[in-house]
Amino acid sequence: EDQVTQSPEALRLQEGESSSLNCSYTVSGLRGLFWYRQDPGKGPEFLFTLYSAGEEKEKERLKATLTKKESFLHITAPKPEDSATYLCAHPGGITQGGSEKLVFGKGTKLTVNP
Amino acid sequence: DVKVTQSSRYLVKRTGEKVFLECVQDMDHENMFWYRQDPGLGLRLIYFSYDVKMKEKGDIPEGYSVSREKKERFSLILESASTNQTSMYLCASSFLSYLSGSSVNEQFFGPGTRLTVL
């Protein structure tokens, strides 16, 4: 069964302390790796899509990178407003109707203290 | 900007009631999805639809049904609500990838409906 594993489950950082979140997956064939941010009580907000090993994308203090088996979300000099749960997801196979399911990891809860 | 809206942010229902959750997207997406999210279990797919009147079961369809009469609207129905259906319900939409094995498009989520069944 396709799986997406995120680590660590929770991470506490001081403001300005850079770190990385990991997302590893067991599916074969790279058809997309997605990162989302989720604030408490809200729906996930789309951040990045990565399609090729070696690809990188940036948005403000966040940078996502991709290898053949894992992705990293690097957070540079984080601020308290970066506190959220970060989810990654990978396609879980084409269905008979031709659409795609995403397999989500359980997320990393990031807390950035001032 | 993609906009996915859900009919209610919070809902409280009684056991046995029929519950309707509605989702509307304004980006002409072919795919629409319903998930539930519970602490420690993550996001789990209930049902999805790739076209009007077309639907497929996700990983946990028991106790739920769906309806898609118009492309922009996807409804989740709890035929007889039970306490174990208390959860956060999330709707999402995406463009369809037309070729098997091709790159997959990102999904965009609505704000969620927190349903409590008493």
Side-chain angles (χ1 to χ4, degrees):
Chain A
E1 184 178 299
D2 298 337
Q3 282 196 346
V4 177
T5 304
Q6 292 188 246
S7 62
E9 289 185 16
L11 182 63
R12 282 188 178 272
L13 299 173
Q14 288 299 122
E15 185 171 2
E17 180 188 0
S18 300
S19 188
S20 297
L21 313 181
N22 177 263
C23 172
S24 62
Y25 47 90
T26 60
V27 295
S28 59
L30 205 55
R31 295 186 300 116
L33 188 289
F34 307 93
W35 282 99
Y36 290 84
R37 171 193 169 124
Q38 187 175 25
D39 293 304
K42 296 187 178 180
E45 174 191 349
F46 170 70
L47 291 174
F48 305 111
T49 306
L50 301 166
Y51 287 113
S52 305
E55 189 176 0
E56 298 183 352
K57 288 194 176 172
E58 288 188 62
K59 181 179 181 180
E60 295 181 357
R61 295 174 292 282
L62 300 177
K63 183 168 80 172
T65 62
L66 184 65
T67 70
K68 286 186 178 179
K69 285 296 180 187
E70 58 188 349
S71 178
F72 293 93
L73 185 65
H74 307 278
I75 303 175
T76 302
K79 298 182 177 182
E81 53 261 43
D82 295 322
S83 297
T85 295
Y86 291 87
L87 301 170
C88 72
H90 191 282
I94 299 288
T95 71
Q96 63 181 36
S99 54
E100 320 84 14
K101 298 190 289 185
L102 291 186
V103 178
F104 282 84
K106 292 185 178 178
T108 294
K109 184 177 180 180
L110 174 66
T111 304
V112 182
N113 296 314
Chain B
D1 268 358
V2 175
K3 193 77 172 179
V4 180
T5 57
Q6 296 184 228
S7 50
S8 306
R9 290 302 313 276
Y10 300 95
L11 211 52
V12 180
K13 295 292 181 181
R14 297 271 178 204
T15 302
E17 280 192 78
K18 192 169 186 176
V19 181
F20 293 87
L21 303 181
E22 195 165 75
C23 175
V24 178
Q25 52 95 4
D26 67 357
M27 281 301 293
D28 203 33
H29 286 166
E30 295 87 1
N31 290 337
M32 295 189 76
F33 307 83
W34 275 106
Y35 295 88
R36 63 177 284 177
Q37 187 175 34
D38 302 286
L41 297 178
L43 277 159
R44 293 182 292 168
L45 183 63
I46 304 172
Y47 264 99
F48 60 99
S49 168
Y50 50 89
D51 200 353
V52 174
K53 298 190 186 297
M54 306 303 288
K55 61 187 179 186
E56 284 197 41
K57 294 180 180 179
D59 301 315
I60 51 165
E62 297 78 20
Y64 303 94
S65 62
V66 290
S67 173
R68 193 165 180 201
E69 297 296 319
K70 293 185 178 181
K71 188 175 185 180
E72 68 271 18
R73 197 176 297 266
F74 192 35
S75 300
L76 179 69
I77 303 152
L78 287 65
E79 296 290 343
S80 178
S82 63
T83 55
N84 62 13
Q85 292 179 310
T86 291
S87 186
M88 170 70 113
Y89 288 88
L90 292 159
C91 175
S93 69
S94 74
F95 284 117
L96 182 67
S97 299
Y98 286 100
L99 299 175
S100 176
S102 68
S103 298
V104 173
N105 295 305
E106 54 272 9
Q107 294 179 16
F108 295 91
F109 284 82
T113 296
R114 173 75 64 184
L115 173 67
T116 302
V117 183
L118 302 175

